[in-house]
Amino acid sequence: MTKDPWIILSAGDNVAVATAAIPSGATVAGIQTREKIDPGHKIALCDIALGQPVVKYGQAIGRTTADVKAGDHVHSHNLHFENDRLAATANSAPEEASAADRARTFMGYRRADGRSATRNYIGIIASVNCSTTVCRAIADEANRTILPHFDGIDGFVPIVHDQGCGMSSTGDGMAVLHRTLAGYTRHVNFGGVLMIGLGCEVNQLTLYGQSGAGNAKRHFNIQDAGGSRRAVERAMGMLREIAQDVGREKRVALPIGDIIIGLQCGGSDGFSGITANPALGVAADLLAAAGGTAILSETSEIYGAEHLLRSRAVSDEVATKLDDKIAWWEKYVALHGASLDNNPSPGNKRGGLTTILEKSLGAVAKGGRSPLTAVYGYAERVTAAGLVFMDTPGYDPVSATGQVAGGANMIAFTTGRGSCFGCRPAPSIKLSSNSALYASMEEDMDIDCGTIATGDATISAKGREIFDLIIDTASGKKTKSEEFGYGDNEFVPWHLGATL
């Protein structure tokens, strides 16, 4: 990067990206701008005729809807989505990890089944929307009366939602809900779990059992307890017993290969694919090299860049699984009369993004350059190491919920517009793509990646800064979102199937 107020991302690009406001008549790569260009937005580097591809990151991001002159602003008024793909270039090597990188450890909790946790929470999980209020009341009472006696417990977390009844007991909707809740009941960051039902719902507690894999797990129904207040009283007795065991847990040195991190981006802008996302990709490469796992997701936001991921698949089977996920999404949105290009939000477009292809090319940078080792369905348990892909929607809370259900014990979340987010029980690191956002929302952002665009930091150096923060956070350092209290309201399972 240089300190010029613009960047050309690939030798084959016919647009540059403004890193600061550029006035009309300024010189950009030897051409004169014909109008004012806002930060994150694109400038034509040559004449581009009507219907010709606009190329950024060395890939087509759409076609022009009018003749474009060198120096013009290129955006929604003269560029639209076309389902083009340019051939994937040879894959460059991942960020090189040293022996010292691979040998690093973090201070975490070793569970009885051998898994490693970054936090030590107790979960209060609702099986159905009817028990959500009681679950919140239980968590509030436990945090008020039990938590002060146990320094080793991070808190009692209510996991509540709006599903569990009024739905078929079979089919995709129930399968996804069950898989998601089961993933949370066994989540490694929960030292113990209490699951609460009403008693007459479709999603019965008997589906989940009374024993957990590596954590204490119990459940009961509000109807059996004799009502809401009695349910809270009954829960307090159970939670005191669970806390006696969970509160004795101590942090010990563990290999960083036990970290499983979910990669997220939300409120993206024109800088996201230039700064925060590739920097997070460096951190993901370093973690993968050490035996850890990075989960890339948001299928609707890799659309247009899936061929780049496919070229890194370790086998034909993995590549085919990714193809199948893309094909399902094409049919799914068509069934509902929508297009995957509907994905860029108004905020994305104000930040400089125009089409889903452009957004996706920046989004996949979060995955770094490591080989793609596995592809999973939503909320499926992740067992492979390295870079993996999980099929999720692009909507951040739904996507992160699936990753955590699959086993992510941390989340790293990039944003260009200021998305606020937490995801208990997994701590969430927030990475700003531009320095203006970091300055205006510093209380929410953990790292400013905007210094890459100004030439004050390299992608590699910023990636290593993120890597260090991942390890510190896994060891107990609180993120900005944790300090504020985010994480109780962001559990949002993917809602599939009919409401009956």
Side-chain angles (χ1 to χ4, degrees):
M1 298 295 179
T2 71
K3 295 204 175 185
D4 291 324
W6 46 271
I7 296 171
I8 300 173
L9 298 172
S10 174
D13 291 359
N14 55 16
V15 292
V17 179
T19 59
I22 299 177
S24 178
T27 300
V28 172
I31 59 99
Q32 301 293 308
T33 57
R34 290 161 51 87
E35 53 195 306
K36 179 177 178 288
I37 310 295
D38 289 331
H41 285 249
K42 298 173 288 296
I43 312 143
L45 295 174
C46 60
D47 292 348
I48 310 172
L50 168 66
Q52 292 302 301
V54 173
V55 181
K56 179 181 175 184
Y57 302 108
Q59 292 289 317
I61 62 171
R63 290 181 180 270
T64 55
T65 57
D67 288 335
V68 173
K69 298 293 185 182
D72 279 349
H73 178 212
V74 178
H75 197 38
S76 302
H77 62 289
N78 55 13
L79 169 64
H80 73 160
F81 169 77
E82 285 284 350
N83 202 3
D84 292 327
R85 303 290 192 277
L86 298 183
T89 56
N91 291 314
S92 53
E95 182 77 10
E96 185 173 353
S98 67
D101 293 328
R102 298 170 191 267
R104 292 185 68 173
T105 60
F106 74 99
M107 298 300 293
Y109 299 96
R110 177 69 80 187
R111 300 301 189 196
D113 62 357
R115 295 180 301 156
S116 297
T118 63
R119 294 293 184 269
N120 194 33
Y121 286 111
I122 294 175
I124 319 297
I125 301 180
S127 68
V128 64
N129 64 292
C130 308
S131 60
T132 59
T133 298
V134 166
C135 285
R136 289 192 187 278
I138 291 169
D140 288 346
E141 182 68 10
N143 282 320
R144 187 179 66 84
T145 63
I146 300 177
L147 186 61
H149 302 288
F150 297 94
D151 292 338
I153 298 174
D154 289 310
F156 294 82
V157 180
I159 300 296
V160 299
H161 54 96
D162 66 352
Q163 299 185 51
C165 208
M167 60 192 300
S168 173
S169 61
T170 60
D172 291 342
M174 186 61 183
V176 167
L177 177 63
H178 179 261
R179 192 162 65 235
T180 304
L181 288 174
Y184 271 72
T185 65
R186 65 170 177 261
H187 196 277
V188 69
N189 284 359
F190 283 139
V193 166
L194 177 60
M195 196 169 193
I196 308 293
L198 177 60
C200 53
E201 61 270 15
V202 172
N203 188 36
Q204 288 284 302
L205 292 176
T206 52
L207 297 171
Y208 297 91
Q210 285 275 29
S211 61
N215 55 22
K217 183 164 64 175
R218 302 184 185 181
H219 60 55
F220 69 85
N221 286 316
I222 297 169
Q223 291 168 350
D224 295 334
S228 300
R229 285 190 173 84
R230 289 180 182 177
V232 175
E233 293 169 1
R234 181 174 176 178
M236 290 305 105
M238 291 182 170
L239 291 175
R240 288 187 183 94
E241 293 178 3
I242 292 173
Q244 291 290 339
D245 292 331
V246 176
R248 285 194 285 264
E249 297 280 347
K250 303 292 183 184
R251 288 186 180 270
V252 297
L254 298 168
I256 62 169
D258 290 350
I259 295 174
I260 304 174
I261 191 161
L263 311 175
Q264 286 290 320
C265 59
S268 300
D269 69 352
F271 291 106
S272 294
I274 300 170
T275 60
N277 288 353
L280 179 55
V282 167
D285 283 342
L286 294 171
L287 183 63
T293 303
I295 308 173
L296 184 65
S297 298
E298 303 173 294
T299 315
S300 56
E301 295 185 5
I302 68 156
Y303 186 73
E306 75 282 350
H307 61 302
L308 304 181
L309 278 178
R310 192 185 194 284
S311 69
R312 291 155 51 190
V314 297
S315 68
D316 290 341
E317 179 185 6
V318 171
T320 299
K321 283 185 177 181
L322 185 63
D323 290 342
D324 290 344
K325 300 302 183 188
I326 293 294
W328 183 91
W329 274 92
E330 289 176 329
K331 293 178 182 177
Y332 179 65
V333 296
L335 181 66
H336 294 280
S339 164
L340 284 165
D341 191 49
N342 294 149
N343 181 281
S345 69
N348 295 152
K349 292 184 177 182
R350 284 193 296 271
L353 297 176
T354 309
T355 68
I356 184 57
L357 303 181
E358 181 180 13
K359 185 176 182 180
S360 294
L361 289 163
V364 297
K366 299 192 303 295
R369 293 169 288 179
S370 297
L372 181 67
T373 61
V375 174
Y376 294 94
Y378 184 82
E380 284 186 346
R381 191 169 187 174
V382 173
T383 57
L387 175 67
V388 305
F389 185 81
M390 177 181 285
D391 179 33
T392 76
Y395 184 43
D396 312 319
V398 177
S399 181
T401 294
Q403 291 176 331
V404 175
N409 51 23
M410 289 188 64
I411 296 289
F413 192 120
T414 70
T415 183
R417 306 297 295 177
S419 298
C420 298
F421 189 77
C423 200
R424 294 205 297 175
S428 178
I429 296 169
K430 294 305 296 295
L431 311 169
S432 70
S433 70
N434 63 82
S435 297
L437 170 62
Y438 185 83
S440 66
M441 295 183 64
E442 187 173 352
E443 65 180 17
D444 293 288
M445 300 295 134
D446 294 289
I447 289 181
D448 174 19
C449 297
T451 52
I452 296 170
T454 60
D456 295 311
T458 64
I459 290 173
S460 178
K462 189 61 66 171
R464 286 187 169 273
E465 183 182 344
I466 296 169
F467 183 58
D468 289 341
L469 182 59
I470 289 171
I471 295 171
D472 290 345
T473 301
S475 299
K477 179 180 179 178
K478 285 193 173 184
T479 65
K480 298 285 185 68
S481 59
E482 286 182 295
E483 289 174 350
F484 188 81
Y486 280 105
D488 287 354
N489 300 304
E490 288 79 9
F491 176 77
V492 188
W494 193 0
H495 201 311
L496 288 172
T499 300
L500 303 177

